[in-house]
Every structure is written in structure tokens, then in C-alpha cells.
Amino acid sequence: MRLDRRAFAMLLGMAALGAAAPWAGASGAARGIITDAAGRRVDLTGPARRIVLLDAVDVLSMAVLHPDPSSLIAGWAGVDRFDSDLVRRQYDRGAGGGAIPVIGGQTADTLSLETILALEPDLVVATAAMEPGLGDGPLARRIAAAGIPVLFSSAASNRRSGTGAPADPFDDMARTLRMWGAVLDRSARAEAFIAFALDRLAQVGDRLAGAAPTTAYLEVQSTYDDCCWAAGRRPWGDLLAMAGGRNLAAVEAPWYAKVAAEQLMIEAPAVYIASGGAFGANLRPGIGPGLDPAAARAGLRRLTKRTGLATLPAVRDGRVHGVWTGLLTVPPLNILFVEAAARWLHPERFADADPAATLDTINRRFLAQPLPGPCWLSLAPATDD
């Protein structure tokens, strides 16, 4: 990330916030040509008031811009990706007051055209993970043939080649929010959040100037009985690098790769960052909004008992931490991962940094529903705040 974005971000944020009321846009929906995150230009012929999300977590990107995004959602899939029962309950309230219909699971083979069409949507929002064809797949073509626009909130998928992944997760975030800003008629608010996130990122970069990266093991799928699923080169390796980390040298793949515990011992990472959430509670640490921090720390401790991990410098030195998966998978929340990870990777430079203050600002200024903790924590409680 280029540090000259800071000045641009600050100016843009001042202009956007000065021009826009807290919830700009009277109708909450727009029409016209929309450019989605895949760069596709799609004609939205009318206001989108019945949206089907093929990835339910997209509601959190909507929630940065809209005071009641759930009222616009006719159905969604992949609700397990929330990885927080509390966050799902916050947004699982449709226009009629009942639960939002679930139309599928976490994979494309759980979706059906008939189920989608029965909801009479005026817009379907997909991701490359659920529709790898990015508009050329059979499901998207059939939806479009029925006269329903299809937009993509993400163009990157771990089922695609490395060339399909974004080189800069914050550029990806900006594309996503600009798309939603156009759909929801809240483009000024989208630019305000983008400016806010880029300014926070630039401040991290300023503090890291001249610092040598810290070797870290970022585990994107932390389970008690299996090891070791490491973050790939991108996008999660990019986020780690933005926080001042160096990914494992043995990992060349994008997204994630399984490495042997012996390889971890060879590379001897100084910091270990695990991930967790509510899904699969008996298999992984329960780190996330509304979950018990003490139980989460017990889960982190259990992870360190796996074969070979006790020998790592990160474990020996007590530099073991965990994040809710939402910080990695929800684009507007990536800045929270970067700030928290930077404190763990370079404590001497970030002793007075406060990612919790950033979360508080996001809650107060942007999110429709405040996001409670714990979104991150450490095995040693004293290093959390």
C-alpha cells in the first residue's frame, strides 16, 4: 500500500463527510449502470428492494452504508459464514419482521434457480466463490435470462487461479463498497468509509517505516485435530504484510496451503495468529462477537498443544493470538485485522495504538448494528487492549 494515499484519504474523507448527512440518500436504492467488483457493467433498471445475497456476509458491507440493510434482503445463502450467532441474529430480520429465507449453504451446488426465482428478487448479488464463472456460469446466465440483474461483490475465489485474486485487499474493499454505494444510493458514504480505512492503513504504514518484517504463522483454518492450514500469498498474506508481517516462506499458493508441522519448526515464526468463530464450536476456538473470551483463550491454548507447536518461538515467548474470521473475510473489517496484527508483530512501535478505538469509530459512524467483541484476543490477556 502506497503511503501517499494518506493525504488523499484524509482530504476525501473530509469532503465526503462534510457533504453527506449520516444516512445520505432518501430512497435507499438507485438505478442505472452499476460497475461491480469484477469490473462488469450491469444495468440496474429499477431500485433494488428485494436483494438475494448468495453470500449472506455481504450484509455487513451493506450495513456500513445503510441503516437497515436487512429490510432489502429477500433471501440469502451461506449463513454459516457469519461465524457468529450474535451477528447473524442482528441482521436476520426481513422486511416483514421474520427471519430471512435461507436459500443455500456455503457452496454453489446448494443453490437452485427455482428457489431464487420464487423470492421474486430484483437483484442477485453473487461472489466468485459461489459463482466462479463471474457471470458466465450457468446459474448467473439463467438468472440474467429471467430478467434479474446479477452483480458480483467479490471477484476472487480460492477455487480460481492466483491471477483471480486481488493484489491489494483494500482496493478490493473499495470496489465492493463503491458497488454497494451505487446500488444503495449512498456513494458519498461509501467514499467516506474508504477514506477512513485508507487513512487508518496509512497510519500503520507510517509507524512501520524502516521496520524489518516479523515472521508470522497466520492460520486461516485453526482446528484442534488438524495442522497446519497457513494463509496463502493473497489476499490474507497481503493483509499480514500490511501489518508488518512476513508470511511463511514455504507457502507459494494464494489463499491457503497446508504445511507440515516440521516446516513450521524450521521457519520458527515469532508470532502465531490463529482464527476462530462460532461455526464448528467443538473443532476450533470460539473467537468472535458474543463469545466467551475465557473459552476462546482455552481454545488457543489447546491449539498450541498440537504436535510441534510448543517448540515454536511464538509459543515459547507467549506471542499467541487469535482473530474472528470476520476480520479476514469481511472487506470493511480488514483494517481491524491489520491494526491488531501490527500491535502483535511490532509491539515496540504500536504500544499506544488502539484497534479497539477504530472498532468503536466504525460502530458509531458507520455500522447499522454495533459489532461487539471479542473480535480479537491474545493468549495472554494483558496484551489485548
Side-chain angles (χ1 to χ4, degrees), residues 245-334:
R246 178 186 290 116
N247 207 7
L248 299 180
V251 178
E252 297 293 340
W255 293 91
Y256 55 82
K258 189 169 187 179
V259 299
E262 292 79 7
Q263 182 63 37
L264 277 181
M265 296 165 67
I266 291 171
E267 298 208 29
V271 175
Y272 168 34
I273 304 174
S275 61
F279 183 73
N282 296 324
L283 304 175
R284 55 205 280 266
I287 306 168
L291 300 177
D292 179 16
R297 288 193 181 92
L300 283 180
R301 190 170 294 106
R302 185 173 173 183
L303 289 175
T304 66
K305 305 299 182 183
R306 292 174 298 177
T307 301
L309 266 69
T311 68
L312 302 183
V315 176
R316 293 201 312 266
D317 298 341
R319 301 180 72 180
V320 176
H321 315 278
V323 297
W324 172 47
T325 55
L327 302 193
L328 296 168
T329 59
V330 180
L333 302 184
N334 286 168

Side-chain angles (χ1 to χ4, degrees), residues 151-178:
L151 293 173
F152 281 82
S153 63
S154 170
S157 169
N158 57 18
R159 295 190 294 179
R160 294 174 61 82
S161 68
T163 58
D168 184 337
F170 282 78
D171 283 347
D172 190 46
M173 178 270 294
R175 286 193 297 270
T176 297
L177 286 187
R178 287 185 175 122

